[in-house]
Amino acid sequence: MDIFKFQAENCSVYKQYIHHLGVNVQAVERIEQIPFLPIGFFKTHTVLSSTKPVQITFSSSGTTGMVQSSHQVTDVKLYEQSYLQAFNQFYGNIEEYNFLALLPSYQQRSGSSLIYMVNDLIEKSKHPQSGYFLYNHDDLLNTLLDLKSKNQKTVLIGVTYALLDFVEKYDISFPDLIVMETGGMKGKRKEMVREELHNQLTKGFGIKSIHSEYGMTELLSQAYSLGDGIFNCPNWMQVLIRDTNDPLTLIENGKTGGINVIDLANVNSCSFIATQDLGRINKDNSFEVLGRFDNADIRGCNLLVQ
């Protein structure tokens, strides 16, 4: 509530949005009353609550001709703290892991918040074999086999189409490997439903489940799925579901609607974001991403309709 009142006063676009909705900020006393800023404003406006200099600007990938989202960050340490604490919450100490990345589409552009995070995770893992693999799949295979022989904890994070390219060339049985897919075919392949995609990847890597992250340019935090497309948030992030026909109304758990995200790491921009994703919240407060609104842009990290 403190962050809401701070941003309602100091984030000009959010302040104007709340004003046009006719919301009395002082009368907002519960999370359920907080207005969520439509994510599209990150394409058309500067969303900032801080007067400090911008340290870094993250941009969405999108496709040719699309207007990119832009997230200006005045304190990149907040982002670093967010993803490091989240990794620790879900997986443990990063220094225990070897971290491999198969992210060709992200590497070949600038402004990716995912690449910023992966660069830092690779560095902080302190393992000599941590690193990127662009299209050198033979090197990746040999590295995975070597890490398996050493019983080394390993995370392989990859863009979906690149992971599929790899498993179509090689079969590897590495049961303890954590494979984390970022979603999206980047126009390289036909889109697939999650069950089919994860079935191919689990068979190809010889593992029981595929992990995923739910994050985007406009957020400084990510939720994680350890399998079956069931996501959980770190402690400073929360997902709420809004009515698809009445975007200012929240709906109860178990029903499908638009995903609203509270991300307290976004203290210097806007912490209350109405995404263009569809989802539902389960009884244990985990959530699922079920697709996107029909008129929404295809995003670089989109997850697919089941």
Side-chain angles (χ1 to χ4, degrees):
M1 295 305 299
D2 290 342
I3 288 179
F4 163 66
K5 290 179 179 178
F6 168 76
Q7 293 178 343
E9 179 61 33
N10 292 283
C11 179
S12 61
V13 62
Y14 190 42
K15 183 177 183 178
Q16 292 177 60
Y17 179 68
I18 292 171
H19 172 74
H20 286 298
L21 290 178
V23 173
N24 179 358
V25 172
Q26 299 309 315
V28 175
E29 298 177 341
R30 296 179 290 110
I31 286 175
E32 292 76 15
Q33 297 174 301
I34 293 175
F36 284 75
L37 185 72
I39 199 167
F41 279 103
F42 282 84
K43 294 184 176 184
T44 57
H45 293 71
T46 298
V47 183
L48 272 179
S49 296
S50 173
T51 57
K52 294 179 180 179
V54 173
Q55 292 183 347
I56 192 168
T57 299
F58 294 128
S59 59
S60 62
S61 53
T63 58
T64 303
M66 283 185 181
V67 178
Q68 289 182 318
S69 289
S70 180
H71 190 177
Q72 298 185 39
V73 179
T74 58
D75 185 0
V76 76
K77 290 294 182 185
L78 281 171
Y79 181 43
E80 294 171 1
Q81 182 182 0
S82 176
Y83 62 67
L84 290 172
Q85 286 189 206
F87 189 91
N88 187 267
Q89 180 177 330
F90 289 103
Y91 296 101
N93 186 353
I94 182 62
E95 292 186 16
E96 295 178 2
Y97 289 86
N98 193 92
F99 212 92
L100 309 178
L102 188 60
L103 299 165
S105 295
Y106 294 94
Q107 279 184 270
Q108 293 164 317
R109 71 174 186 87
S110 60
S112 168
S113 56
L114 178 64
I115 291 295
Y116 186 99
M117 177 182 75
V118 171
N119 284 343
D120 199 32
L121 291 175
I122 287 173
E123 180 181 345
K124 284 185 168 58
S125 75
K126 299 181 180 178
H127 278 268
Q129 288 174 287
S130 288
Y132 286 94
F133 297 83
L134 195 56
Y135 297 107
N136 45 337
H137 289 175
D138 290 344
D139 291 344
L140 176 57
L141 175 67
N142 292 331
T143 300
L144 287 170
L145 291 173
D146 187 47
L147 293 168
K148 178 188 174 184
S149 71
K150 297 174 181 176
N151 294 317
Q152 170 61 51
K153 287 184 179 180
T154 301
V155 174
L156 170 61
I157 184 168
V159 63
T160 305
Y161 79 85
L163 292 172
L164 285 169
D165 287 348
F166 179 81
V167 297
E168 285 180 358
K169 289 175 67 177
Y170 305 105
D171 275 326
I172 179 172
S173 179
F174 192 165
D176 294 328
L177 176 67
I178 295 172
V179 175
M180 187 181 297
E181 57 102 0
T182 65
M185 294 295 187
K186 306 292 185 184
K188 306 283 188 180
R189 284 173 168 262
K190 182 180 177 181
E191 297 288 350
M192 299 166 63
V193 295
R194 179 177 55 79
E195 288 84 351
E196 181 185 1
L197 167 65
H198 285 199
N199 186 51
Q200 287 193 30
L201 293 177
T202 53
K203 285 182 178 178
F205 287 103
I207 55 182
K208 291 182 179 179
S209 62
I210 299 298
H211 295 220
S212 304
E213 62 138 21
Y214 180 72
M216 56 196 72
T217 299
E218 300 86 354
L219 301 177
L220 294 185
S221 301
Q222 303 87 24
Y224 287 95
S225 167
L226 308 189
D228 300 320
I230 307 296
F231 289 88
N232 285 280
C233 295
N235 300 329
W236 54 92
M237 179 183 180
Q238 184 177 349
V239 163
L240 304 169
I241 303 296
R242 69 181 183 273
D243 191 324
T244 54
N245 297 312
D246 181 4
L248 300 182
T249 299
L250 300 177
I251 59 177
E252 62 191 42
N253 290 1
K255 293 187 176 181
T256 299
I259 292 179
N260 287 355
V261 178
I262 300 175
D263 181 5
L264 299 186
N266 272 21
V267 61
N268 292 328
S269 53
C270 183
S271 292
F272 310 95
I273 305 298
T275 78
Q276 285 292 308
D277 294 323
L278 292 166
R280 64 169 171 250
I281 298 175
N282 301 316
K283 290 181 180 179
D284 62 356
N285 287 324
S286 64
F287 71 96
E288 300 173 62
V289 183
L290 303 176
R292 294 186 57 74
F293 284 83
D294 288 341
N295 61 345
D297 290 343
I298 298 172
R299 296 173 64 85
C301 297
N302 69 311
L303 290 154
L304 310 176
V305 177
Q306 295 193 69

